[in-house]
Amino acid sequence: MASIVKLFLGQGVKTPVTAQEFIEEQEYEKGFAEHYQTNLKERVEEYEFERVNALKVARQRLFYTLPILVGLVCFSYFLFFDAPDLALLAFIFGFSAWVWFVERSCDVYQESIKSEIFPHILSFLGDFSFTSEMKFGGPKKYKDFEILPSYTMESNEDLIVGTYKGLQITLFESELEKESGHGRNRTVQTVFKGIMIEISMNKNFEGKTIVKTDSGAIGNWLKSKTSTLQTVRLEDPEFEDQFEVYSNNQVEARYLLTPSFMQRLLNLKTTFGGKKIECSFCNESLLMLISIKRNMFEPGSIHEREDFIDDARSLLSEMQSIFQIIDTLKLD
């Protein structure tokens, strides 16, 4: 809704004159100023034209279709007295369709930033690829890791694949939902929203070890009865209070979950604002599920001048947080 208001006011339609220089502010940005000059700056003028054009198209659609929106409000109002549920449904569906139509040109533009510009930003970090749309099996391929919640619907985007400190990294954003009931009793619950990270460990685990968020005495007991893995008792009371560990190889589990690893995982949980973090060592990989409400890897506001500087800062910052997971847990 905020974007519609900005469109109505014409925010960002006129191109402001600003300097197009990337100023390195963080240690992990060192060297990016030169990378920006070589790989991104020459594209600024082209994309700034496309940004303004996308806003103009959206504003035209906004003003041309306002009478339709007014008609929808009136129709819903008169329908409300006879069928309030139907009136509400009609308004929600109609308003959502109207917003989608008005903002479609902006969405297409921002998607082009992700698919065409983000790869040039990521190339600064090495051999990394970025795909805004998922083209592989998604969460289903991680079923054997035994930390995925039960779900019926999935939405995945922003696949990043690359290598950091000799470790292969695959990460993407995912939202998993579980549908239950039918008709008026139908409910859809989000069971996971965040990022999934698979990190190759360059060694084959003899067993499987998973670390799950503590679910209380009853929840933990039910999990232990529905899994072939055994509960692993550790000597860190703080870790035991927040996580439950299961494995089919007790010796290997204790070898992997050293006191320093457990403390780093606790620190990592704090870094992400106390959100849910679960992980599984299986085959040759570590899979991590990190719950995050906001969308990562998104381009900057279309209502501001396009020079890729904010996009670069945001993307490099997000990737730094991923690299810190490897550094913090000392996975290399």
Side-chain angles (χ1 to χ4, degrees), residues 132-297:
S132 58
E133 297 181 358
M134 298 287 290
K135 295 182 180 180
F136 84 119
K140 291 184 177 66
K141 66 176 291 189
Y142 299 126
K143 182 180 179 180
D144 290 344
F145 285 81
E146 293 191 48
I147 57 174
L148 290 178
S150 175
Y151 67 96
T152 56
M153 298 180 291
E154 64 180 78
S155 175
N156 310 297
E157 64 175 357
D158 299 343
L159 172 66
I160 297 178
V161 179
T163 303
Y164 177 71
K165 292 190 174 181
L167 300 179
Q168 180 77 18
I169 302 174
T170 301
L171 69 97
F172 58 95
E173 288 188 285
S174 181
E175 182 172 1
L176 306 179
E177 298 177 322
K178 187 173 183 178
E179 181 183 18
S180 59
H182 302 281
R184 291 192 175 186
N185 296 322
R186 176 181 177 270
T187 60
V188 177
Q189 177 187 7
T190 298
V191 293
F192 175 78
K193 178 177 174 59
I195 56 174
M196 297 189 185
I197 310 173
E198 180 188 7
I199 303 173
S200 65
M201 299 295 289
N202 297 327
K203 54 184 168 184
N204 191 28
F205 302 113
E206 295 181 6
K208 179 190 299 179
T209 299
I210 66 176
V211 180
K212 304 202 73 172
T213 300
D214 188 275
S215 300
I218 296 178
N220 295 334
W221 181 81
L222 289 173
K223 287 180 183 178
S224 66
K225 294 302 180 183
T226 57
S227 174
T228 59
L229 306 179
Q230 298 177 336
T231 301
V232 179
R233 297 302 176 192
L234 302 169
E235 298 180 357
D236 187 324
E238 183 182 3
F239 189 86
E240 286 274 5
D241 185 55
Q242 298 191 42
F243 296 100
E244 281 292 313
V245 180
Y246 305 91
S247 180
N248 55 11
N249 189 317
Q250 296 271 337
V251 175
E252 184 176 65
R254 289 184 172 84
Y255 170 77
L256 292 169
L257 300 177
T258 63
S260 58
F261 181 94
M262 289 188 287
Q263 186 58 52
R264 293 181 192 117
L265 194 61
L266 286 169
N267 294 341
L268 186 63
K269 190 170 185 287
T270 302
T271 299
F272 279 88
K275 301 302 179 183
K276 187 175 180 181
I277 295 179
E278 299 186 333
C279 60
S280 173
F281 297 88
C282 182
N283 298 326
E284 299 179 351
S285 299
L286 166 64
L287 176 67
M288 301 190 71
L289 272 59
I290 304 177
S291 297
I292 303 173
K293 289 186 177 181
R294 63 185 175 85
N295 287 333
M296 300 177 71
F297 315 119

Side-chain angles (χ1 to χ4, degrees), residues 69-134:
L69 180 62
V70 173
L72 173 65
V73 172
C74 294
F75 173 76
S76 301
Y77 175 78
F78 288 111
L79 184 64
F80 177 82
F81 296 100
D82 296 323
D85 291 344
L86 183 60
L88 179 62
L89 183 64
F91 178 78
I92 292 175
F93 177 80
F95 184 76
S96 299
W98 178 75
V99 171
W100 177 88
F101 176 74
V102 169
E103 295 185 341
R104 183 56 184 160
S105 61
C106 298
D107 293 339
V108 170
Y109 166 78
Q110 292 195 298
E111 191 63 33
S112 72
I113 294 290
K114 292 173 66 172
S115 62
E116 299 176 27
I117 298 302
F118 276 20
H120 290 285
I121 298 174
L122 281 174
S123 65
F124 170 72
L125 302 174
D127 185 20
F128 278 87
S129 64
F130 179 95
T131 307
S132 58
E133 297 181 358
M134 298 287 290

